[in-house]
Amino acid sequence: MAPSSGRRVPSAAKLEERNTIGINKETVTNTVSDAYPDNYANEEHAWDKEDFRRNFKVQFHQNDQFEAQFSLIGVDASIANAFRRIMIAEIPSLAIETVFVNNNTSVIQDEVLAHRLGLIPFTGGKKGLREHMGFWRKPGPEEDAYATTYDSNTVSLKLAAKCTRNTDAPKDATDPKVLYNNAHIYAKDIVFEPQGGQLKWLSGEDAVRPVNPDILIAKMRPGQEIDIEMHMHKGFGWDHAKYSPVATASYRLMPKITILRPILGDDAEKFANCFAPGVVGLEKVTRKEARTQGSGYEGHEGEVKAVVKDPMRDTVSREVLRHPEFEGKVKLGRRKDHFIFSVESAGQWDSDELFIESVKTLKKKCGILRPQVTSMVQGF
């Protein structure tokens, strides 16, 4: 978009300065977003789609099945935070909602046991869980308890175990898991009971199962028994944390480290130790640098100098600002428009799928809001 008449576009250096949060010894400055129209007099800041397209980037640094780290570059904090909140609370997943206790003589109370079961993450066939499992509706006061329970919205699970003595245990054994049968009850002991159409979509390798089979549910001793049935339903994290598809979804701003004056010799080594490993490296001053007037390296050929290698590793501890020998030699900051996301999936979604799904959800929300805004504007 061309600048409006009488307006100018700020220089790249000025924009970079405004886009950097200042990290000082005792204060943090320039934290407010200011890139919007008419915030600065006689400057053009109108939003432009093509300009956004050029500057916006998504860079993946790690993309494992259940853990991903990526950078979202060129967006405002409000957009980045919207993606984070959507991943936490607005992407549906299945979790144990109703527990029918037939018998529970373990030391864990029924309510505590039900709560523990609800927090166990499950997985299964993606197509079955996402496309063929709908949302369950709680029956009304005049309806039967199972009036709204179908194979298309409910997954049935069962857990039945009784602790008995192991007659074959060695006489000198002291481990309860050796002395008794079913001394420890794990998530892997939960049995999936497919109903109706679930046999087609949630069977074999696609069967519903715990993400981690070794999650401990209860400990029992001879004579104690657990016999329960469970119903899983689809829900959202805004209703209960057990429905959240992520274990964690967070972001931090990209650190920025600027060396203003040369840092050499022993000071360079001390400078590097002020940061996390890999952030600052040590290199020798080259002949070209030593011969360049005004570089600050004149006469220091072959000496060790400090250079910034990987600022993304920095934790912004501000340790370097405590040392007087580095005063005026380094400037710390964070980029306002560079968000480093860390997403850990709970198991039903792959970590990279969660971000894509959050984009779809935000797009859907915008589609709902757009005609309402249009109608509001036309009404004036």
Side-chain angles (χ1 to χ4, degrees), residues 216-254:
L216 182 64
I217 297 175
K219 294 182 179 181
M220 297 195 299
R221 291 298 179 263
Q224 295 180 350
E225 179 181 2
I226 291 179
D227 182 7
I228 56 179
E229 297 175 24
M230 296 153 280
H231 284 177
M232 291 179 66
H233 301 303
K234 184 179 285 190
F236 292 99
W238 51 257
D239 181 41
H240 195 288
K242 65 184 177 184
Y243 291 119
S244 179
V246 297
T248 58
S250 62
Y251 64 75
R252 59 190 178 94
L253 294 175
M254 180 69 170

Side-chain angles (χ1 to χ4, degrees), residues 1-17:
M1 179 180 290
S4 303
S5 177
R7 295 198 171 202
R8 57 186 171 82
V9 177
S11 66
K14 193 66 176 177
L15 288 175
E16 183 65 22
E17 179 185 347

Side-chain angles (χ1 to χ4, degrees), residues 127-203:
K127 190 170 184 179
L129 293 180
R130 299 176 193 176
E131 298 180 14
H132 297 279
M133 294 301 298
F135 289 89
W136 176 78
R137 177 179 64 82
K138 187 176 181 179
E142 304 298 327
E143 293 181 295
D144 181 78
Y146 300 99
T148 59
T149 302
Y150 306 100
D151 60 345
S152 59
N153 62 18
T154 303
V155 173
S156 296
L157 305 170
K158 186 175 179 63
L159 175 60
K162 186 175 182 178
C163 183
T164 59
R165 294 187 182 276
N166 181 10
T167 56
D168 298 327
K171 292 184 178 180
D172 58 346
T174 58
D175 187 352
K177 290 185 286 186
V178 176
L179 288 170
Y180 315 121
N181 299 313
N182 296 323
H184 291 181
I185 306 302
Y186 295 96
K188 61 187 175 185
D189 297 316
I190 298 175
V191 179
F192 168 51
E193 298 182 329
Q195 308 291 325
Q198 295 174 2
L199 290 168
K200 180 179 180 181
W201 303 107
L202 299 172
S203 60

Side-chain angles (χ1 to χ4, degrees), residues 28 59 85 89 97 100 116 122 137 150 160 172 174 188 199 218 244 251 258 301 311 324-325 351 353 375 377:
V28 179
Q59 298 176 346
R85 291 178 62 117
E97 170 67 16
F100 303 93
R116 288 175 66 85
F122 283 80
R137 177 179 64 82
Y150 306 100
D172 58 346
T174 58
K188 61 187 175 185
L199 290 168
S244 179
Y251 64 75
T258 306
E301 181 182 346
E325 57 265 44
S351 54
E353 291 177 327
S375 177
V377 173

